[in-house]
Amino acid sequence: MALPTEIIGGRLIDGSSFLPTSKMLMNQRVGMVKRNQFLGSPVLVPSQQIRRQEQLKRAVRAPVAAISEDIIKTNNKTTVPEKAVNFKVRAVVTVRNKHKEDLKETIVKQLDSLTDKIGRNVVLELISTDVDPKSKEPRRSKPAALRDWSKKSNLKAERVHYTAEFTVDSNFGVPGAITVINKHQQEFFMESITIEGFACGPVHFPCNSWIQSKKDHPGKRILFSNKPYLPSETPAGLRALREKELRDLRGDGKGVRKLSDRIYDFDVYNDLGNPDKSVSLTRPSLGGKTIPYPRRCRTGRLPMDSDITAESRVEKPLPLYVPRDEQFEESKQNTFSAGRLKAVLHTIIPSLKATISAENHDFSGFSDIDILYKEGLLLKVGLQDEIWKNLPLPKVVTKIQESSEGMLKYDTPKILSRDKFAWLRDDEFARQAVSGVNPVSIESLKVFPPKSNLDPEIYGPQESAFKEEHILGHLNGLSVSQVIIINFLSFLLLY
């Protein structure tokens, strides 16, 4: 504050009209110099020169005052905006490997591990829930690549953990989304991402999704944190990203769907028949404006040649379109395939046994049923062992039986694991009937004895052999008609 004081003080003194003599002015200037020691040694100046200096100072009075005010304002500031400081946060990415890979997948995986070293890697970017007031866009971190992909590509573990390091500033806020770019040639399954280093604590991103290659899907994949928001409460930094993700999932109803797509648009069932193959294979479409359900995932396949309203079929072994994240994962697919093989074997083996075996195939007791769960289907051909060994087909079946590791065993029902004779009780029989494959076919008994509506020439007599005398001892003195009425009224009260 010394310099402004000198300038302002000098101007006030010079502008004053109460200066009697030049000697008084000299004394004041000399005293001011002694106090502040801002000027050099005092020098005697004639009065004419002093008047000229006063006129010159009056001429430059305004600029000097402006400089003084700016300096005072600068020195009197109490708050200065803090500069944002950059710091680093760490991401831990969990990737789940496949249990089995074919030759093509193995070769592509090795190529990806090599190209990862030269920049064709997996790149992530953090997105904040806050918006930058200048750009009006969500705050973003600097892109970061996953580390050590090439080193860990040969690990046989089911889950592999990779790391990435982001650089953000102190105004970044809380991360709410992550974008991922897969520059590899092959997709991979990203299970989760955890961000560590923010003041709010770890931020978790449960992904559980396939990240497609950039060559198949050029856009960035968006993943959100596990914090849910109502539409009205979605942070400003995530609104546009949420809307974009919703548009991508809904699709636009155009184009042919690829197996790597993640689009959930729907269509009517217009591919049940095959009129191009035969007119008798023509089938009506299910669903529409009047009855919107059932519906299937839209595929965009070409229409039939004979019926443009029917979509061309996909025959085996070509797969049907299902959104990539909804397809059976590897363990589920293996379980499904094993169950299908087991069902086939459970059908073929008894047929072979009944055709070739010389033994009696009837169940002699409940112990024979228990053997199906304990030992499985054992082929004992008795007197024809020598012929059996020389047949090629039974050799294959025997090999399957020896190496199936329980494939020929029946799965023990849960009800039998708790109670071995539960299936003998009436309540369990009723439960299995109601919760069976087609419970809609169950009807209330309206007439007794029961009478069938089936064709008697094909299915036999319509009258049931079940008579009233068969159940008289179990009705507590009531007639069959009374029991039917009571059951009917109970049904009405329940439903």
Side-chain angles (χ1 to χ4, degrees):
M1 297 297 292
L3 182 58
T5 304
E6 289 296 332
I7 297 175
I8 295 174
R11 288 198 53 214
L12 290 174
I13 295 172
D14 294 339
S16 176
S17 58
F18 299 98
L19 297 178
T21 59
S22 59
K23 184 176 181 181
M24 183 182 296
L25 182 60
M26 278 295 295
N27 292 335
Q28 290 177 355
R29 288 180 179 260
V30 171
M32 194 161 44
V33 170
K34 287 182 179 180
R35 287 192 304 271
N36 299 300
Q37 295 185 0
F38 182 77
L39 302 174
S41 302
V43 179
L44 295 176
V45 182
S47 59
Q48 293 180 356
Q49 293 182 2
I50 292 174
R51 292 193 185 98
R52 290 188 188 134
Q53 291 177 0
E54 291 175 359
Q55 293 175 358
L56 290 174
K57 289 178 179 179
R58 290 192 185 98
V60 297
R61 180 181 301 172
V64 173
I67 294 172
S68 303
E69 292 173 1
D70 291 341
I71 297 173
I72 293 171
K73 289 180 181 178
T74 303
N75 292 333
N76 288 338
K77 282 183 178 179
T78 57
T79 58
V80 179
E82 297 181 359
K83 186 177 180 181
V85 179
N86 291 337
F87 64 97
K88 294 182 178 182
V89 295
R90 180 172 174 265
V92 179
V93 180
T94 303
V95 175
R96 190 166 68 196
N97 287 333
K98 291 185 177 181
H99 296 290
K100 295 181 180 179
E101 295 178 344
D102 55 25
L103 180 60
K104 181 180 177 181
E105 291 175 340
T106 303
I107 294 174
V108 175
K109 185 176 181 179
Q110 295 301 322
L111 290 176
D112 286 339
S113 64
L114 293 176
T115 56
D116 187 83
K117 298 179 180 180
I118 59 175
R120 296 182 62 86
N121 44 24
V122 180
V123 181
L124 288 75
E125 187 179 22
L126 274 180
I127 301 178
S128 174
T129 57
D130 298 336
V131 174
D132 189 349
K134 294 182 180 180
S135 63
K136 305 300 181 182
E137 296 289 335
R139 300 182 187 272
R140 297 174 181 266
S141 69
K142 295 181 180 180
L146 288 187
R147 298 177 176 177
D148 300 331
W149 186 281
S150 58
K151 295 181 181 179
K152 298 180 180 180
S153 60
N154 295 324
L155 292 179
K156 301 302 181 181
E158 182 180 2
R159 291 173 175 82
V160 182
H161 302 284
Y162 300 93
T163 59
E165 198 172 69
F166 300 97
T167 300
V168 297
D169 58 36
S170 54
N171 298 327
F172 184 81
V174 179
I178 292 180
T179 60
V180 183
I181 301 178
N182 180 14
K183 298 181 182 179
H184 293 165
Q185 298 294 316
Q186 189 169 255
E187 65 177 5
F188 65 90
F189 189 84
M190 182 175 286
E191 193 170 84
S192 65
I193 303 175
T194 302
I195 309 297
E196 301 172 346
F198 283 97
C200 61
V203 182
H204 301 283
F205 292 80
C207 309
N208 294 317
S209 180
W210 290 94
I211 308 299
Q212 300 299 324
S213 173
K214 186 178 179 180
K215 65 182 180 64
D216 296 326
H217 295 270
K220 296 180 179 180
R221 179 65 192 278
I222 305 172
L223 302 168
F224 297 94
S225 66
N226 61 348
K227 185 175 182 179
Y229 298 98
L230 294 174
S232 59
E233 299 175 356
T234 303
L238 301 181
R239 289 174 189 168
L241 297 176
R242 289 281 189 184
E243 293 173 357
K244 181 182 182 303
E245 178 72 2
L246 189 59
R247 288 195 302 269
D248 293 342
L249 292 176
R250 287 176 173 174
D252 55 2
K254 300 178 182 179
V256 180
R257 296 287 170 257
K258 299 182 294 184
L259 294 178
S260 59
D261 285 343
R262 203 171 49 93
I263 300 175
Y264 295 80
D265 54 351
F266 297 94
D267 200 352
V268 298
Y269 275 95
N270 58 352
D271 61 344
L272 300 178
N274 193 355
D276 287 351
K277 188 175 182 180
S278 174
V279 179
S280 61
L281 297 178
T282 303
R283 299 291 184 271
S285 298
L286 298 182
K289 294 182 179 179
T290 55
I291 305 177
Y293 298 99
R295 296 188 299 175
R296 63 177 177 88
C297 285
R298 181 188 173 277
T299 59
R301 296 190 300 266
L302 296 176
M304 292 279 187
D305 295 333
S306 58
D307 187 1
I308 60 173
T309 61
E311 195 173 87
S312 58
R313 291 175 57 87
V314 174
E315 304 292 347
K316 290 183 178 181
L318 297 177
L320 287 170
Y321 168 74
V322 178
R324 185 64 182 97
D325 291 340
E326 304 302 327
Q327 297 177 17
F328 279 165
E329 61 180 5
E330 195 172 6
S331 59
K332 181 68 174 179
Q333 183 65 44
N334 293 337
T335 304
F336 185 80
S337 300
R340 181 172 54 186
L341 176 60
K342 184 183 292 187
V344 172
L345 293 177
H346 288 173
T347 304
I348 293 178
I349 300 302
S351 300
L352 291 173
K353 185 177 180 180
T355 304
I356 302 175
S357 176
E359 294 184 356
N360 186 13
H361 311 297
D362 295 335
F363 290 116
S364 59
F366 291 116
S367 60
D368 292 347
I369 300 177
D370 294 337
I371 290 175
L372 294 177
Y373 304 121
K374 295 179 181 179
E375 300 179 9
L377 294 170
L378 301 178
L379 299 180
K380 299 178 180 179
V381 295
L383 299 175
Q384 300 176 355
D385 284 346
E386 295 298 328
I387 301 175
W388 176 265
K389 292 179 181 180
N390 295 326
L391 292 176
L393 181 59
K395 283 184 178 180
V396 175
V397 177
T398 305
K399 186 176 179 180
I400 294 175
Q401 179 174 318
E402 293 174 353
S403 61
S404 60
E405 298 181 358
M407 187 66 70
L408 298 180
K409 292 183 180 179
Y410 286 88
D411 294 331
T412 304
K414 293 183 178 179
I415 186 66
L416 292 186
S417 62
R418 295 192 298 267
D419 185 359
K420 188 175 181 179
F421 297 99
W423 60 277
L424 291 174
R425 296 196 302 266
D426 292 340
D427 57 345
E428 177 59 23
F429 175 79
R431 186 194 69 81
Q432 293 183 12
V434 174
S435 61
V437 178
N438 190 12
V440 181
S441 62
I442 301 175
E443 297 181 3
S444 61
L445 185 62
K446 299 178 181 178
V447 294
F448 191 84
K451 186 177 181 180
S452 172
N453 296 323
L454 299 177
D455 189 356
E457 295 182 359
I458 300 175
Y459 299 99
Q462 293 181 335
E463 293 290 338
S464 174
F466 189 62
K467 304 299 181 179
E468 185 172 357
E469 55 266 20
H470 295 146
I471 58 174
L472 283 177
H474 305 279
L475 300 181
N476 297 325
L478 299 175
S479 65
V480 175
S481 301
Q482 291 173 333
V483 172
I484 293 175
I485 294 173
I486 292 173
N487 291 338
F488 181 72
L489 293 176
S490 301
F491 178 81
L492 294 178
L493 292 174
L494 290 173
Y495 299 97

